[in-house]
Amino acid sequence: MANLSGYTPLECRSYRVTIKRWSAVAALVLTAPVAAQDLPTDQVERHADVVRQDMLLKSTLRDDPARRNDRGRRATPQQATACSNKARFRSEHGPDHPKVRKLYELCRGIGR
């Protein structure tokens, strides 16, 4: 504490009260953020866990081999027939023909 000799008792009391007030303010300012972070941080962590689990579930379902065939379109009977004859179309028209390329893309899209 500061040397208060030479000051009146009222000035000393005022000085002490001022120091106490500033100490209380400093204590509140320094401890308030620490106390206030407990609840929101906990909520943010729980939210992050939920988001992480959701992303994991979606990626697991997306990469599931059993679901890969379900993602593609189902082949109509006409498409299945055309895809079974794609080798014949390729030999007749050549591999660079636009319709042959389109047929191969169609067959690839339906998994044939």
Side-chain angles (χ1 to χ4, degrees), residues 44-63:
V44 169
E45 288 173 356
R46 275 189 265 141
H47 179 69
D49 288 341
V50 169
V51 170
R52 191 176 310 114
Q53 289 172 356
D54 187 47
M55 288 175 54
L56 180 62
L57 177 64
K58 285 180 182 176
S59 69
T60 302
L61 291 176
R62 183 178 58 238
D63 295 338

Side-chain angles (χ1 to χ4, degrees), residues 64-108:
D64 187 15
R67 294 179 49 94
R68 284 193 185 141
N69 292 337
D70 292 342
R71 259 194 267 154
R73 297 180 299 163
R74 302 278 184 216
T76 64
Q78 294 86 2
Q79 289 172 333
T81 303
C83 288
S84 65
N85 293 326
K86 66 182 177 182
R88 184 175 57 89
F89 290 126
R90 183 180 175 141
S91 66
E92 287 178 12
H93 300 290
D96 293 332
H97 194 275
K99 289 188 177 182
V100 172
R101 287 184 180 180
K102 190 170 185 174
L103 176 63
Y104 271 82
E105 288 175 19
L106 170 79
C107 294
R108 191 176 316 118

Side-chain angles (χ1 to χ4, degrees), residues 1 4 12-28:
M1 197 142 174
L4 298 177
C12 291
R13 183 173 177 271
S14 175
Y15 178 78
R16 286 187 192 117
V17 169
T18 303
I19 293 295
K20 286 180 185 178
R21 284 185 185 158
W22 279 109
S23 297
V25 169
L28 285 174

